[in-house]
Amino acid sequence: MSAQHAEHHGGGRFGLPPMDTAQELRAALRAGYGFPGDAEKLDAELAEQLLPRVPVDQVAEVHELGTVVDLVTVAEILAAYRGRVHLAADREAIAAAEEAVVELLARQGAE
């Protein structure tokens, strides 16, 4: 079986730093990439998923405890914040989003 290289989620596109691991993503957010407050929000979302612990003597009762870490959810959280970093770095996307917000607000004001 051959090892497959992980897709690189940063370091090149828009001059972003590498974001292949949770630590690299957190470092990028703390360095100011992404949107304001993203670093704290990421930490809070990860803590919600990762902090519940199952005591060793209760592992057999995990199905009743509901505290197993859902790694799919953790991966989705990390992917969402990588996407936010890419979006924040894409000036064209930001300009399009701002234009859409202005248009929606104008429509609401006209109603």
Side-chain angles (χ1 to χ4, degrees), residues 5 8 15 17 19 23 27 37-38 41 52 60 71 76 79 81 86 98 110:
H5 295 290
H8 194 63
M19 294 180 288
Q23 292 83 357
D38 276 356
K41 290 175 189 172
L71 295 178
E76 289 171 348
Y81 280 90
H86 284 120
E98 288 173 349

Side-chain angles (χ1 to χ4, degrees), residues 4-20:
Q4 303 230 349
H5 295 290
E7 181 182 336
H8 194 63
H9 293 97
R13 184 175 180 201
F14 305 119
L16 296 172
M19 294 180 288
D20 294 323

Side-chain angles (χ1 to χ4, degrees), residues 7 9 19-22 25 29 38 42 45-46 71-87:
E7 181 182 336
H9 293 97
M19 294 180 288
D20 294 323
T21 66
L25 177 58
L29 291 171
D38 276 356
L42 172 64
E45 288 186 42
L46 289 177
L71 295 178
V72 171
T73 300
V74 170
E76 289 171 348
I77 292 167
L78 294 172
Y81 280 90
R82 278 188 199 103
R84 291 178 61 81
V85 170
H86 284 120
L87 178 62

Side-chain angles (χ1 to χ4, degrees), residues 11-93:
R13 184 175 180 201
F14 305 119
L16 296 172
M19 294 180 288
D20 294 323
T21 66
Q23 292 83 357
E24 288 175 343
L25 177 58
R26 289 178 76 232
L29 291 171
R30 295 218 178 286
Y33 294 95
F35 294 99
D38 276 356
E40 295 77 15
K41 290 175 189 172
L42 172 64
D43 286 348
E45 288 186 42
L46 289 177
E48 185 177 319
Q49 291 299 317
L50 298 173
L51 288 182
R53 306 238 191 260
V54 178
V56 174
D57 63 336
Q58 295 179 357
V59 170
E61 303 167 26
V62 163
H63 65 284
E64 298 170 17
L65 296 174
T67 57
V68 174
V69 172
D70 182 352
L71 295 178
V72 171
T73 300
V74 170
E76 289 171 348
I77 292 167
L78 294 172
Y81 280 90
R82 278 188 199 103
R84 291 178 61 81
V85 170
H86 284 120
L87 178 62
D90 186 344
R91 296 296 164 217
E92 290 179 16

